[in-house]
Amino acid sequence: MSQEQQTPDSVPSVDGMPRLGLGTWQNTDPDQCRESVQTALETGYRHVDTAQAYDNEVEVGDGIAAADVDRDDVFLATKIWTDNLSYDDVIHTARESLNRLGVDYLDLLYVHWPSGEYDAEDTLAAFAELYDDGLIDRVGVSNFLPEQVREATEVCDAPIFANQVEMHPLLPQEDLQACAEREDVNLVAYSPLARGRVFDVPEIQAVAKKHNASAAQVSLAWLLEKGATPIPKATSEDHIRDNWSSLSIELDEDDIETIDGIDRQERQVDPGFAPW
C-alpha cells in the first residue's frame, strides 16, 4: 500500500466531483449525523450525499456548517423522492431541500428512483429549470436502467451528469458501466461495501492481505479503478478514516482480475418499485 497521505487537493475528481464521498443513508441519529459529516469534511472528504427520503438534510447541513471547510469547497448532492417528481413538486421540494440544508445551491440533484410520479419529460423539465436558474449545478438520476438513462439524456435540456446506483464487487453493473461510457454519464456507487458483505469474500480478503489493507479499502479502490465514485456510509471516525485511506491503495491488474472473478451477484437494495 502506498503511504502517500491524501489531501483534499490530491483527491481525484471528475468534472468537479470528488471521486470519494460520504454517504448518509440510514444515518438518522441527529447528533451522529452532524458529527460524521463534520468529521468527514475535516478528514479531507469534499463530497457529501443525502436525500429527501433520508430525513437528515437538516443535520447534514449543520455538519457542513460546523466543519472548518468553506461551503463552496464541498460537493453537496441530494435527491428528490418519488412522491415529489411532478414538475411543480420538483421545483417546490428542491427549494425545501435547499432550506433544510442551509445552502443557496446544490452541486448535484438526483431523481431518486424512476418510479412514483416520475415522468421523464415532465420531471426533467423541472430539473432543467432549476439548472437554468442556478439552483443546481448538475442534474443526476439514480437507480436508472440503461434505457432510462438514454431517455433522460434525450429529453432533458440540461446534461445528465451522473447515475447513482448500487455497485460493489458483488454487483459490478457491467451493463451500466458500458452505458455510462456510451452516454458520457458518471457512475456513483452507493452501498459500495454491499452493506458489509464484502468483508467476508475470500478474494477480497486475499487482495487486502497483499496490500496490508482492509477489505473496505480494497473494495473502494476497485470501484475507483472501474471509474465509479463510491459514497460509503460511515458514522464512526475510524470507519470514516479507513474509507478515506482507500485513495492510497494501488491495485494491480492481478488484483482487479481476482476481484472481477468473484462469481456472485448479490443486490442489497431491491424495493418493489424498482425498475428491474
Side-chain angles (χ1 to χ4, degrees):
M1 180 174 70
S2 168
Q3 298 301 310
E4 178 185 358
Q5 181 65 38
Q6 295 290 337
T7 67
D9 290 339
S10 68
V11 176
S13 65
V14 55
D15 298 329
M17 178 178 66
R19 292 198 52 229
L20 178 68
L22 178 73
T24 61
W25 182 41
Q26 296 182 330
N27 192 349
T28 54
D29 178 271
D31 291 338
Q32 183 182 71
C33 185
R34 282 190 293 268
E35 290 172 9
S36 61
V37 170
Q38 180 179 359
T39 297
L41 291 174
E42 294 180 351
T43 296
Y45 290 72
R46 292 295 180 267
H47 180 173
V48 179
D49 182 272
T50 183
Q52 293 175 348
Y54 299 172
D55 198 26
N56 62 10
E57 288 177 321
V58 170
E59 290 75 24
V60 168
D62 289 345
I64 292 171
D68 188 22
V69 176
D70 289 341
R71 158 66 187 104
D72 288 345
D73 293 332
V74 179
F75 187 96
L76 176 60
T78 193
K79 309 177 196 73
I80 303 287
W81 184 241
T82 59
D83 292 345
N84 301 326
L85 291 174
S86 70
Y87 182 95
D88 289 341
D89 285 345
V90 168
I91 300 296
H92 177 67
T93 66
R95 293 179 182 275
E96 289 181 335
S97 287
L98 287 166
N99 289 335
R100 284 191 292 268
L101 288 160
V103 297
D104 297 326
Y105 69 95
L106 292 162
D107 297 273
L108 176 57
L109 182 66
Y110 292 98
V111 177
H112 202 154
W113 291 85
S115 58
E117 298 301 311
Y118 177 72
D119 174 85
E121 292 190 4
D122 189 53
T123 300
L124 293 170
F127 273 70
E129 179 175 324
L130 293 167
Y131 175 85
D132 289 341
D133 289 344
L135 296 179
I136 65 175
D137 284 348
R138 300 165 184 83
V139 174
V141 297
S142 184
N143 299 296
F144 275 43
L145 298 175
E147 57 268 27
Q148 294 167 321
V149 173
R150 188 182 318 111
E151 179 186 40
T153 61
E154 290 172 354
V155 305
C156 189
D157 289 337
I160 301 298
F161 178 80
N163 185 19
Q164 184 180 132
V165 299
E166 180 182 347
M167 183 177 176
H168 44 72
L170 304 182
L171 190 69
Q173 300 280 27
E174 291 98 338
D175 289 348
L176 285 172
Q177 288 184 53
C179 170
E181 185 172 349
R182 185 171 59 249
E183 302 293 340
D184 194 24
V185 170
N186 296 294
L187 274 185
V188 176
Y190 72 75
S191 295
L193 306 178
R195 306 186 81 176
R197 284 168 174 77
V198 298
F199 302 156
D200 299 322
V201 177
E203 293 91 339
I204 293 175
Q205 291 175 335
V207 175
K209 182 177 181 180
K210 171 182 171 180
H211 289 272
N212 190 27
S214 69
Q217 290 169 352
V218 165
S219 297
L220 296 173
W222 176 84
L223 283 161
L224 290 165
E225 288 287 344
K226 294 295 181 180
T229 295
I231 49 168
K233 174 203 167 187
T235 53
S236 72
E237 182 173 354
D238 286 347
H239 287 158
I240 289 169
R241 293 186 179 280
D242 187 72
N243 292 340
W244 176 252
S245 295
S246 67
L247 294 167
S248 298
I249 305 292
E250 297 181 7
L251 301 180
D252 59 32
E253 291 183 7
D254 289 342
D255 300 327
I256 300 297
E257 185 176 335
T258 295
I259 297 172
D260 286 350
I262 297 170
D263 188 22
R264 293 165 65 177
Q265 291 282 330
E266 298 182 12
R267 187 182 293 277
Q268 307 301 316
V269 180
D270 193 14
F273 55 79
W276 44 80

